[in-house]
Amino acid sequence: MVDYIVVGLGLAGISFCEVLEKEGKSFTVVSDTSQQASQVAGGLYNPVILKRFTLAWKAKEQMELAQPFYAGLERKLGVQLDYKVPVLRRFASIEEQNSWFEAADKPGLDHFLSTIILPNSNTCLDAPHGFGEVNYTGRMDTGTLVEFYSTYLDQKGILERESFNFSDLTIEEGWVSYKSIHAKQVVFACGYGLQDNPFFNYLPLNGTKGELLTIKAPAYKEDRVIKSSVFTIPLGEDLYRVGATYKWKDKTNEPTEASKKELLDKLTTFLRCDFEVVDHVAGIRPTVVDRRPLVGRHPAHKNLYVLNGFGSRGVLIAPYASTQLYQCIEHQNQIDPEMDIQRFTKKYYRD
């Protein structure tokens, strides 16, 4: 008998496993490679929605948890994951500059938005109106995190690399069994794979396809994230990640020529140097109709839980949501109502 079975090993699953280890709980993880959102993500953590100059949901609380959380993971895994990289918002006009200053005066945003307009000094960038800088930003190498954490669990003998087969799940009063594993609780942290979960597929998880390019641009020489109509993220060795697209109809992990053209068309509106595309990846973000995570206990099965719906902000949300779910399960603490799946309970009984 273990305390938990965790299904899925993206940002959500890894974050919950970390909470379990910290609290001395036993667990087994079941995960396949069907969901790639965490592996291919840009990995930016940024407390500000740069399209509208507004503070992201619970950004300050999430930042306070995320920084020590990922520092602990780096020490445990012996690998660098967190790259402190400035994020600069390219201004398209004087009006955008003015909107930035107005936003920087607002409570909460004043902590994250610099009021110094940075002039452009990079000849490879078309940015006559300069940049605004967001404080306390960076890039999390999510692909390396998933790879090293999987190896870590493998070495402990607690990772089952397989698709979860629901016909092998038996639910009893106070415990569950999955094949030869007996556990007190199951937490499903399987991203867009939630669509195939017969217990939680009533939840309105849409899924948004995102595609990213990696380019090699030797002349660019930019060590900051530049956000315009798309972002460029420095990866080192003259490589930059470019993204991202948002598509609601295509639910495959296959990159498309249409999205590649869209990214390149937007990139060349402000990048003024030669480059070549060296990689093109895609994944389905687990997005929700009300743009809030899906966290909590199943309405009827009291030992089944879900941890999902982080969208494009999983790096920041994952430690926050995982901690709240654990406190709910073990100490009956209330989950933040905005992300508690109780908000969809009527939909479960109606469907």
Side-chain angles (χ1 to χ4, degrees):
M1 174 76 75
V2 294
D3 294 311
Y4 288 84
I5 296 171
V6 179
V7 183
L9 200 60
L11 282 170
I14 289 172
S15 298
F16 195 72
C17 289
E18 277 300 284
V19 175
L20 294 179
E21 281 218 329
K22 180 181 176 183
E23 298 293 338
K25 300 296 183 181
S26 57
F27 61 93
T28 294
V29 178
V30 180
S31 180
D32 60 21
T33 57
S34 62
Q35 301 306 313
Q36 302 178 27
S38 293
Q39 289 93 321
V40 306
L44 282 183
Y45 57 91
N46 162 30
V48 180
I49 298 170
L50 289 173
K51 186 175 183 179
R52 301 186 293 273
F53 305 158
T54 55
L55 197 62
W57 176 72
K58 303 287 186 183
K60 198 165 190 301
E61 297 93 324
Q62 291 167 11
M63 289 281 285
E64 289 171 355
L65 271 176
Q67 290 175 341
F69 173 84
Y70 290 110
L73 271 172
E74 287 182 319
R75 290 191 297 271
K76 172 186 284 190
L77 301 176
V79 65
Q80 184 175 1
L81 302 169
D82 187 0
Y83 295 82
K84 307 294 186 186
V85 186
V87 172
L88 304 188
R89 170 61 152 81
R90 173 182 174 268
F91 294 127
S93 64
I94 297 297
E95 289 74 20
E96 280 199 344
Q97 288 185 356
N98 294 335
S99 297
W100 179 274
F101 282 118
E102 289 174 12
D105 282 337
K106 295 177 181 178
L109 279 168
D110 57 352
H111 181 68
F112 294 113
L113 297 186
S114 170
T115 54
I116 300 172
I117 300 297
L118 299 177
N120 178 37
S121 58
N122 190 332
T123 56
C124 292
L125 285 170
D126 179 15
H129 302 291
F131 307 93
E133 182 173 359
V134 186
N135 300 320
Y136 314 112
T137 59
R139 175 178 71 88
M140 196 63 58
D141 189 341
T142 54
T144 295
L145 171 58
V146 172
E147 177 189 350
F148 274 69
Y149 205 85
S150 298
T151 301
Y152 171 76
L153 295 182
D154 255 339
Q155 291 171 347
K156 296 187 71 173
I158 56 174
L159 174 60
E160 302 291 335
R161 294 178 180 268
E162 63 184 47
S163 299
F164 192 87
N165 189 339
F166 288 93
S167 64
D168 290 325
L169 178 66
T170 302
I171 303 171
E172 303 288 351
E173 185 66 32
W175 60 280
V176 301
S177 66
Y178 177 72
K179 296 185 176 179
S180 62
I181 307 166
H182 290 68
K184 298 174 185 175
Q185 329 279 358
V186 182
V187 172
F188 292 101
C190 43
Y192 186 65
L194 194 73
Q195 293 283 343
D196 300 320
N197 186 317
F199 299 101
F200 290 104
N201 59 7
Y202 72 94
L203 294 170
L205 188 77
N206 296 332
T208 308
K209 184 173 183 176
E211 299 191 37
L212 301 99
L213 304 176
T214 301
I215 64 168
K216 190 174 184 68
Y220 191 16
K221 304 302 180 191
E222 183 58 68
D223 59 2
R224 305 162 298 182
V225 174
I226 304 299
K227 174 67 175 79
S228 184
S229 49
V230 290
F231 57 68
T232 64
I233 305 175
L235 302 177
E237 300 181 342
D238 298 327
L239 296 174
Y240 301 86
R241 187 156 289 158
V242 178
T245 60
Y246 289 81
K247 304 296 181 184
W248 289 267
K249 292 183 179 179
D250 182 0
K251 306 299 185 184
T252 70
N253 287 319
E254 296 301 316
T256 64
E257 284 300 314
S259 286
K260 180 179 179 179
K261 182 179 185 303
E262 177 186 337
L263 290 170
L264 291 176
D265 286 348
K266 290 179 177 178
L267 178 64
T268 52
T269 62
F270 65 92
L271 186 63
R272 298 287 185 260
C273 66
D274 292 334
F275 63 86
E276 63 172 318
V277 177
V278 297
D279 197 17
H280 181 189
V281 295
I284 309 297
R285 307 177 190 90
T287 52
V288 185
V289 63
D290 62 1
R291 300 188 178 187
R292 294 291 180 264
L294 298 170
V295 184
R297 179 186 286 117
H298 190 274
H301 301 289
K302 302 307 180 185
N303 42 16
L304 302 186
Y305 295 84
V306 66
L307 183 65
N308 210 314
F310 298 170
S312 60
R313 295 189 170 268
V315 169
L316 285 182
I317 293 175
Y320 175 79
S322 297
T323 300
Q324 288 221 0
L325 179 59
Y326 179 83
Q327 293 297 327
C328 167
I329 299 171
E330 296 292 338
H331 304 294
Q332 292 72 56
N333 290 7
Q334 183 180 7
I335 294 171
D336 185 317
E338 286 191 81
M339 66 179 181
D340 194 327
I341 61 169
Q342 285 187 17
R343 68 192 192 274
F344 298 116
T345 297
K346 289 181 179 177
K347 181 174 171 56
Y348 170 74
Y349 287 108
R350 186 171 64 246
D351 293 351

